Amino acid sequence: MKEFEEALVCKCKNERIPEEFNYFEKVIGEWDLDWNDRLNTSTPRRVKGEWIFSWVLDGMAVQDVFIVPSRAERLIDIQPDAAYGTTIRLFNTERQVWEIFYGCPEECARLEACKEGDEIILTEITSKAMKWIFSDITDNSFTWRSIAKSPAGDWITLARVYATRKKK
């Protein structure tokens, strides 16, 4: 498997990605998460997780592994709807856009990313009724939230994640 990892993982972005589209540079690395969901219920939930990002595919993509609860936490805090998924963000040089695929055993989604101010907004491309937003990005932390359009057309926050870079 070492050969697979060496062929997949890359140390940096490819120079073909213009710097103004280098949205994900600051999230590369390993993160501890505080996952918060069921926000609009009488029993909100908070779960510890982990998120690992890397440049892949000759630096033309960013892939992550998203694990909630974390591998350690799931041994003691079993969640029936635990998430273990991956997202691959591929930069399309012709269209100058990040094309994205998220997959886990229960869900698959296609999205595109754009930058609005300091936020990176990933929008589901079919119905445009779901967005994932990275905000407050620093070298050691970021916030991520999942929002969805309600039947009335309002945007509702489904989950909010606070990420802290793992100490080496």
Side-chain angles (χ1 to χ4, degrees):
M1 292 308 294
K2 184 177 180 189
E3 198 68 31
F4 178 83
E5 182 181 339
E6 287 177 1
L8 178 66
V9 175
C10 187
K11 292 187 189 303
C12 60
K13 83 169 181 66
N14 190 297
E15 63 188 30
R16 292 176 50 210
I17 299 174
E19 198 54 41
E20 65 265 24
F21 290 97
N22 191 8
Y23 301 166
F24 302 103
E25 180 78 36
K26 280 195 171 187
V27 299
I28 300 296
E30 300 173 9
W31 302 85
D32 289 318
L33 305 179
D34 282 321
W35 169 273
N36 299 270
D37 67 359
R38 301 179 190 159
L39 303 172
N40 302 317
T41 70
S42 60
T43 55
R45 174 172 62 168
R46 184 175 176 198
V47 180
K48 298 288 184 192
E50 60 186 305
W51 210 344
I52 305 162
F53 293 80
S54 180
W55 287 105
V56 296
L57 303 177
D58 195 32
M60 291 300 295
V62 173
Q63 186 167 8
D64 73 54
V65 178
F66 182 83
I67 310 164
V68 175
S70 68
R71 289 172 286 179
E73 191 74 13
R74 62 183 48 221
L75 299 174
I76 54 172
D77 183 16
I78 298 169
Q79 299 286 324
D81 60 346
Y84 208 124
T86 190
T87 304
I88 186 158
R89 300 154 182 87
L90 298 143
F91 188 73
N92 182 320
T93 55
E94 287 183 24
R95 292 185 53 227
Q96 298 285 286
V97 68
W98 285 95
E99 297 179 320
I100 300 161
F101 171 81
Y102 169 75
C104 70
E106 298 80 28
E107 179 184 3
C108 291
R110 291 215 38 232
L111 307 102
E112 283 188 356
C114 68
K115 195 136 188 218
E116 291 183 17
D118 292 333
E119 294 184 327
I120 304 168
I121 301 174
L122 287 63
T123 303
E124 190 273 329
I125 63 172
T126 305
S127 68
K128 302 201 184 313
M130 178 191 70
K131 294 183 181 192
W132 296 338
I133 302 167
F134 290 85
S135 60
D136 307 316
I137 303 168
T138 71
D139 291 338
N140 294 305
S141 65
F142 66 85
T143 301
W144 177 94
R145 62 190 190 279
S146 171
I147 63 174
K149 197 174 276 190
S150 74
D154 301 329
W155 287 99
I156 299 168
T157 301
L158 303 176
R160 188 178 311 273
V161 170
Y162 302 99
T164 306
R165 189 174 298 278
K166 287 188 178 189
K167 307 246 189 283
K168 292 184 180 189

